[in-house]
Amino acid sequence: MEKKGVVSDYLPWLIIAIAVLVIASLAIFSFKEKGVSVIDSIKNLFSGR
């Protein structure tokens, strides 16, 4: 069995997951600096306001 096939299958998903975590943490940090609650901003995002 080749191990390279498993790594090449999961590598793109791992990169996407790390990128999403970085973007989410930067967004939460910027919301904290502005004094806006993260929960309120998520509610506004889904309510379309």
Side-chain angles (χ1 to χ4, degrees):
M1 293 180 61
E2 292 185 25
K3 300 277 183 176
K4 288 184 180 180
V6 174
V7 172
S8 64
D9 286 344
Y10 289 114
L11 188 62
W13 293 108
L14 186 63
I15 292 171
I16 291 169
I18 291 171
V20 167
L21 285 175
V22 168
I23 291 170
S25 59
L26 286 175
I28 290 172
F29 182 72
S30 67
F31 285 146
K32 282 185 180 179
E33 280 188 352
K34 293 179 183 178
V36 177
S37 175
V38 176
I39 296 172
D40 289 337
S41 63
I42 292 172
K43 284 181 184 177
N44 290 338
L45 180 69
F46 285 119
S47 67
R49 294 182 189 171

